[in-house]
């Protein structure tokens, strides 16, 4: 792969309008602005990240997480762009590297758009509905690859669909993003057929040819049937996401008193050598507020991870462009930094993700989503029923519930449910159960 081809501002669905005129605001900046003002992005404010949506204590939701990932990704891409520009000085395309920060910022902003309500458990609830629940009886309606899309339902693949699918009444190309921004969110550039034990993949069967079109334009090679190399900027998007959720989950857990200040400070100081730790400890002595102490350490930890991940990217640029680099930028860090990161991860799994607050929202979300899946699946597959006709009237027209194939009709239900906020899903659950009625 080469940077000249990888950095492309052609828009999906608007290819015939593409030109090379210089504009004050780049098309990659337009991607970012378009996302900020979009309805799917706004809905993230009412979607759980890890902890239940805030009461008196404000913790991260999908919106604040995405904004922070975008900020970190922009900074990391800026570090990379500066170093690569020096390395490739004199190349005719070198000025294109200035766009890296905007491409990554936009990709980070939309990397979670396809995640369903109720945190990470929402994805699992949808996939297990088909593999373990009432959805099993629908298997005969689908081809093997279509069925695999459902039993491995993935927020990453759903994000790519949300950005590229032409919903009813909408324009071609979905949100008409640039090719480079679209490719930079696909962490797993293959279909569900290659999802493996982790169940991760980058696009559904319905969007396979769209990704192939993007890959051909950008010069991303197809390694085997329906399996492609990553766009290099995916590594930066992935690292920014990894850094934010790992570090910010610690800070949220501290605010909720799941972790003590001493434990969080210990984990964050571990990212630094003894000299830096001593300097930071002196700085902490001037702060009385525990939250400010954690915020100070968090800021420094993120800063050092950004710089060091940029180092890993630049060091391995050749392998990344050749598609031979394996692992993540985090895995490429020096051992001391990697150890500190993995200690944070171990604490998150043992203390945070199994905390009562987290489990409660997962249990409630599972019950709500399972009921909605049961009810809406029956409606789209049996539209002749009286109750089905009533239900179909409440599904937004953009979702094609009368599509010609069962695969497309089931996808319309998943599009609707995955787009719901936690609050909307709960409200619909109550209404359909007769627990909430419109005011008379």
């Amino acid at each position: 792969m080469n940077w000249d081809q990888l950095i492309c501002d052609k828009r999906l669905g608007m290819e015939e309008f593409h030109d090379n005129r210089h504009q004050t605001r780049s098309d990659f900046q337009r991607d970012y602005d378009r996302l900020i003002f979009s309805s799917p992005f706004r809905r993230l404010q009412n979607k759980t990240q890890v902890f239940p949506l805030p009461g008196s204590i404000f913790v991260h939701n999908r919106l604040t997480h995405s904004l922070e990932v975008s900020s970190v990704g922009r900074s990391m891409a800026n570090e990379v762009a500066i170093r690569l520009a020096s390395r490739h000085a004199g190349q005719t395309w070198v000025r294109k590297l200035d766009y890296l920060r905007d491409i990554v910022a936009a990709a980070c902003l939309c990397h979670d758009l396809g995640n369903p309500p109720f945190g990470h458990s929402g994805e699992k609830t949808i996939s297990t509905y088909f593999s373990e629940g009432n959805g099993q009886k629908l298997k005969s309606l689908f081809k093997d690859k279509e069925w695999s899309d459902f039993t491995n339902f993935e927020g990453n693949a759903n994000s790519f669909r949300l950005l590229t699918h032409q919903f009813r009444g909408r324009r071609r190309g979905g949100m008409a993003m640039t090719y480079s921004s679209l490719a930079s969110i696909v962490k797993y550039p293959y279909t569900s057929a290659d999802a493996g034990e982790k169940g991760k993949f980058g696009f559904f069967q319905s969007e396979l040819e769209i990704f192939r079109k993007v890959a051909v334009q950008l010069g991303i090679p197809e390694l085997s049937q329906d399996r492609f190399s990553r766009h290099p900027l995916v590594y930066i998007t992935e690292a920014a996401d990894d850094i934010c959720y790992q570090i910010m989950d610690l800070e949220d857990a501290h605010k909720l008193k799941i972790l003590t200040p001493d434990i969080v400070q210990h984990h964050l100081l571990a990212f630094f050598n003894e000299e830096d730790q001593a300097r930071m400890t002196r700085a902490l002595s001037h702060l009385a507020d525990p939250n400010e102490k954690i915020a100070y350490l968090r800021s420094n930890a993120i800063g050092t991870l950004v710089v060091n991940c940029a180092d890993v990217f630049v060091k391995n640029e050749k392998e990344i462009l050749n598609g031979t680099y394996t692992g993540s930028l985090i895995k490429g860090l020096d051992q001391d930094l990697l150890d500190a990161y993995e200690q944070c991860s171990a604490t998150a799994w043992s203390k945070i993700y199994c905390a009562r607050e987290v489990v409660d929202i997962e249990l409630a979300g599972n019950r709500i989503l399972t009921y909605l899946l049961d009810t809406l699946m029956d409606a789209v597959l049996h539209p002749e029923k009286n109750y089905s006709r009533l239900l179909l009237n409440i599904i937004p027209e953009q979702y094609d519930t009368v599509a010609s194939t069962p695969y497309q009709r089931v996808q319309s239900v998943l599009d609707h449910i995955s787009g719901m906020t936690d609050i909307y899903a709960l409200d619909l659950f109550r209404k359909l159960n007769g627990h909430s009625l419109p005011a008379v």
Side-chain angles (χ1 to χ4, degrees):
M1 293 177 280
N2 66 85
W3 289 115
D4 190 22
Q5 191 172 0
L6 287 165
I7 302 171
C8 172
D9 59 6
K10 185 178 289 187
R11 292 192 175 279
L12 184 69
M14 299 180 66
E15 290 85 356
E16 64 268 32
F17 303 112
H18 182 258
D19 60 53
N20 293 313
R21 290 180 299 173
H22 177 74
Q23 299 172 340
T24 303
R25 188 164 58 114
S26 75
D27 278 296
F28 306 117
Q29 289 175 309
R30 292 175 190 272
D31 280 348
Y32 183 92
D33 297 343
R34 182 171 297 182
L35 288 162
I36 284 285
F37 284 93
S38 70
S39 294
F41 185 74
R42 288 197 301 275
R43 287 198 293 267
L44 294 178
Q45 68 182 313
N46 279 325
K47 286 191 176 186
T48 297
Q49 173 67 16
V50 173
F51 299 102
L53 295 178
S56 59
I57 300 176
F58 191 89
V59 293
H60 287 82
N61 54 41
R62 289 281 183 191
L63 182 74
T64 50
H65 167 71
S66 297
L67 289 168
E68 289 173 349
V69 173
S70 184
S71 176
V72 170
R74 183 189 293 275
S75 295
M76 195 184 304
N78 187 54
E79 293 278 347
V80 169
I82 291 171
R83 300 174 203 194
L84 293 186
S86 176
R87 173 180 291 177
H88 298 294
Q91 298 289 339
T92 57
W93 49 263
V94 71
R95 290 188 62 184
K96 280 191 172 185
L97 295 173
D98 291 339
Y99 295 130
L100 295 193
R101 56 184 68 85
D102 293 327
I103 297 171
V104 171
C108 290
L109 206 62
C110 63
H111 79 285
D112 269 354
L113 281 187
N115 284 69
F118 305 113
H120 295 288
S121 67
E123 292 172 284
K124 195 66 176 176
T125 297
I126 293 175
S127 62
T128 55
Y129 173 79
F130 294 99
S131 62
E132 301 174 7
N134 291 337
Q136 291 180 87
K137 60 189 178 185
L138 305 177
K139 183 176 181 180
S140 62
L141 299 174
F142 308 106
K143 300 174 183 177
D144 288 344
K145 290 182 178 180
E146 294 173 344
W147 183 245
S148 180
D149 280 353
F150 299 145
T151 57
N152 295 287
F153 182 85
E154 231 290 315
N156 291 284
N158 204 44
S159 293
F160 189 76
R161 174 176 171 81
L162 183 61
L163 292 168
T164 62
H165 179 67
Q166 184 179 3
F167 292 95
R168 290 176 68 184
R170 305 298 176 89
R171 63 183 171 189
R172 288 189 304 117
M175 292 182 67
M177 301 280 286
T178 61
Y179 280 40
S180 292
S181 293
L182 287 173
S184 297
I185 72 164
V186 184
K187 293 196 292 185
Y188 312 102
Y190 41 82
T191 67
S192 59
D194 290 319
E197 292 183 2
K198 292 185 177 181
K200 298 292 187 181
F201 62 101
F203 36 83
F204 299 118
Q205 286 297 315
S206 49
E207 283 71 56
L208 169 60
E209 293 309 314
I210 294 177
F211 185 82
R212 191 189 308 280
K213 181 179 182 179
V214 170
V216 169
Q217 174 68 44
L218 300 180
I220 298 173
E222 186 169 358
L223 304 176
S224 58
Q225 185 176 5
D226 303 339
R227 189 182 185 98
F228 301 80
S229 287
R230 277 182 164 188
H231 189 291
L233 297 184
V234 170
Y235 289 98
I236 301 178
T237 301
E238 177 185 48
D241 186 28
D242 290 345
I243 290 169
C244 285
Y245 78 71
Q246 205 64 265
I247 301 299
M248 302 313 299
D249 285 354
L250 290 178
E251 186 170 12
D252 281 349
H254 165 258
K255 290 181 179 178
L256 293 170
K257 302 189 185 305
I258 295 172
L259 297 178
T260 65
D262 288 345
I263 290 175
V264 177
Q265 288 184 37
H266 168 76
H267 280 307
L268 296 178
L269 283 169
F271 286 100
F272 305 96
N273 59 36
E274 291 184 3
E275 181 180 349
D276 287 336
Q277 286 184 17
R279 174 179 56 80
M280 291 180 181
T281 301
R282 288 194 298 271
L284 290 176
S285 67
H286 298 288
L287 298 172
D289 187 338
N291 289 328
E292 286 297 309
K293 291 183 178 182
I294 299 302
Y296 168 75
L297 293 175
R298 173 257 298 157
S299 174
N300 281 275
I302 289 177
T304 196
L305 285 170
V306 163
V307 171
N308 281 275
C309 282
D311 286 342
V312 174
F313 186 98
V314 174
K315 178 182 177 182
N316 294 281
E317 181 199 11
K318 182 178 180 180
E319 290 77 12
I320 290 172
L321 289 173
N322 287 339
T324 57
Y325 184 77
T326 58
S328 63
L329 300 185
I330 293 289
K331 291 295 185 181
L333 292 171
D334 290 341
Q335 194 60 49
D336 288 347
L337 279 174
L338 181 59
D339 287 345
Y341 181 88
E342 291 182 340
Q343 287 169 15
C344 291
S345 180
T347 295
W349 282 104
S350 64
K351 301 292 185 182
I352 298 176
Y353 303 144
C354 61
R356 178 65 180 269
E357 296 92 331
V358 177
V359 175
D360 283 349
I361 196 71
E362 290 182 350
L363 289 171
N366 185 286
R367 179 70 179 273
I368 293 167
L369 292 182
T370 299
Y371 177 80
L372 295 179
L373 286 164
D374 268 338
T375 307
L376 297 179
M377 288 294 176
D378 187 66
V380 298
L381 295 175
H382 302 284
E384 71 281 359
K385 295 180 180 179
N386 180 60
Y387 187 54
S388 296
R389 287 196 293 270
L390 292 172
L391 279 173
L392 294 177
N393 283 331
I394 69 172
I395 297 179
E397 291 185 0
Q398 72 187 69
Y399 304 120
D400 193 2
T401 58
V402 295
S404 59
T405 70
Y407 177 66
Q408 292 170 324
R409 293 200 296 275
V410 168
Q411 276 193 313
S412 73
V413 172
L414 298 183
D415 289 334
H416 182 33
I417 289 178
S418 63
M420 294 178 182
T421 64
D422 295 17
I423 295 170
Y424 182 91
L426 174 60
D427 183 55
L428 183 58
F429 173 79
R430 287 171 172 168
K431 287 179 179 176
L432 295 181
N433 277 285
H435 298 158
S436 174
L437 294 172
V440 178

